[in-house]
Amino acid sequence: MDSIIFDLDGTLWDSTDVVLMAWNEVVEGYQEIENPITKEDLKSIMGLQVKEIGRKLFPSVGEDVQQEILKKCCEIECGYIEKQGGILYDHLEAVLRVLSQKYKLFIVSNCQCGYIEVFLKYHKLENYFTDFENPGRTGLSKGENIKLIMDRNNLKKPVYVGDTEGDRKAAIHAGIPFVYARYGFGEVIEFDHVIDRFDDLLKLF
């Protein structure tokens, strides 16, 4: 193994409280959306791409309106996170510090441009990661973005750490082992390795 590629939400941190405030500020401006977004709603869409999120959260409106709402949500949430950050999982920076001395570290997340950047900036974690990618920048699936990171950085034996079934499928698409972060938002039945807390990575690697 020469590197570790991480998912972000549900794997490195939990930003749902801050994102919830931002998204509901947007939703309040649409009379056709009757109910506010809940924390459970947000957790259920973690790891999905934008079109899937729109269909799941706003089924009562057309796809154009879904995408309009989500575009506004994504624009405003980075501003919120830049000011408030999120909740890092226990011992995250200490574990990253140790891992980064042995392996190159990366992030591949299904998010918009700017989201990973504000995560790194607010929590001052830029120095631990070599590179990152997202569909907001490339328009590619998570599996394709993992392959892009592998090619761009000449990785030979990476693993992918994530918390959802979509993460597992992305790792399979990229042809690399999947480490299931069971403490996160999703439920995954099959995996190559499993961790129940972030610092379990130190035992695994």
Side-chain angles (χ1 to χ4, degrees):
M1 192 178 89
D2 60 358
S3 52
I4 305 173
I5 308 172
F6 293 96
D7 171 51
L8 181 46
D9 294 318
T11 301
L12 298 178
W13 76 342
D14 181 351
S15 66
T16 51
D17 287 338
V18 178
V19 171
L20 191 63
M21 286 190 289
W23 285 32
N24 275 323
E25 180 179 318
V26 173
V27 168
E28 286 175 3
Y30 289 83
Q31 294 182 350
E32 56 266 58
I33 308 298
E34 296 181 358
N35 299 314
I37 301 169
T38 67
K39 196 168 184 177
E40 289 68 32
D41 290 333
L42 277 187
K43 289 184 176 180
S44 74
I45 55 91
M46 292 297 181
L48 300 181
Q49 291 198 313
V50 174
K51 286 189 177 181
E52 297 172 286
I53 293 171
R55 288 192 291 266
K56 188 161 187 176
L57 288 185
F58 313 118
S60 63
V61 299
E63 186 172 318
D64 289 347
V65 178
Q66 291 173 2
Q67 298 311 303
E68 177 185 309
I69 294 172
L70 287 173
K71 182 180 179 181
K72 291 180 179 179
C73 287
C74 289
E75 288 172 352
I76 194 173
E77 77 175 16
C78 284
Y80 271 70
I81 292 170
E82 190 171 18
K83 295 177 181 177
Q84 301 182 48
I87 301 172
L88 300 181
Y89 288 116
D90 289 345
H91 313 297
L92 184 126
E93 184 170 4
V95 173
L96 292 177
R97 185 180 300 114
V98 173
L99 291 176
S100 65
Q101 293 172 2
K102 299 172 63 179
Y103 309 105
K104 289 184 177 179
L105 306 183
F106 304 86
I107 298 174
V108 172
S109 175
N110 274 348
C111 61
Q112 72 276 23
C113 286
Y115 187 80
I116 298 174
E117 290 93 328
V118 293
F119 159 74
L120 295 173
K121 182 179 178 181
Y122 183 90
H123 294 288
K124 298 179 173 61
L125 299 173
E126 299 100 323
N127 293 338
Y128 298 113
F129 294 94
T130 301
D131 196 1
F132 59 83
E133 200 50 270
N134 62 78
R137 184 161 64 182
T138 67
L140 300 174
S141 69
K142 181 172 280 188
E144 289 298 323
N145 279 326
I146 292 174
K147 291 172 70 174
L148 183 62
I149 283 285
M150 291 168 62
D151 292 342
R152 195 158 71 203
N153 295 277
N154 195 29
L155 307 183
K156 302 301 182 185
K157 293 184 177 180
V159 300
Y160 188 67
V161 183
D163 67 309
T164 68
E165 178 65 15
D167 292 334
R168 183 186 74 86
K169 291 178 178 178
I172 290 174
H173 182 85
I176 62 175
F178 174 62
V179 180
Y180 172 36
R182 191 154 48 192
Y183 55 81
F185 300 141
E187 294 185 9
V188 181
I189 297 175
E190 297 181 11
F191 42 80
D192 297 292
H193 306 282
V194 62
I195 54 174
D196 289 302
R197 40 188 290 157
F198 192 74
D199 55 8
D200 283 348
L201 287 171
L202 297 180
K203 301 174 186 176
L204 190 60
F205 303 129

